[in-house]
């Protein structure tokens, strides 16, 4: 998650593939959900394979706002 650039998104599957196990998307999601410091380790940048927002410990509305902030849609 730390390697996902600011204003970019990656899917759980993308991360699993980079880790060398393309079938581990659910495990990536589980690990992502245990992130205790989401503003430092930007887990909000991880989305579903279809680009939809999925899971965020602080709620999808907050995830959506963080992504919009990075994209310059919120000032």
């Amino acid at each position: 998650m730390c390697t996902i650039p600011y204003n970019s998104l990656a899917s759980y599957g993308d991360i699993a593939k980079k880790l060398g196990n393309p079938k581990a998307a659910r495990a990536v999601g589980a690990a992502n959900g245990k992130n205790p410091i989401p503003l430092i380790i930007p887990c909000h940048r991880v989305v579903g394979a279809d680009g939809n927002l999925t899971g965020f410990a602080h709620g999808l509305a907050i995830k959506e706002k963080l992504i919009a902030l990075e994209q310059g849609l919120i000032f």
Side-chain angles (χ1 to χ4, degrees):
M1 292 177 283
C2 290
T3 61
I4 303 169
Y6 185 85
N7 192 25
S8 296
L9 301 174
S11 74
Y12 298 99
D14 293 336
I15 295 170
K17 287 175 193 169
K18 285 184 182 181
L19 293 172
N21 188 349
K23 295 181 180 182
R26 290 185 68 158
V28 170
N32 198 25
K34 295 183 186 291
N35 178 11
I37 47 177
L39 292 177
I40 296 171
I41 299 175
C43 58
H44 63 277
R45 296 179 187 155
V46 185
V47 297
D50 58 2
N52 287 325
L53 301 185
T54 58
F56 186 63
H58 305 286
L60 291 180
I62 299 294
K63 183 173 187 168
E64 184 175 29
K65 287 180 183 178
L66 288 169
I67 291 169
L69 179 68
E70 289 188 10
Q71 294 175 346
L73 302 174
I74 297 176
F75 302 106

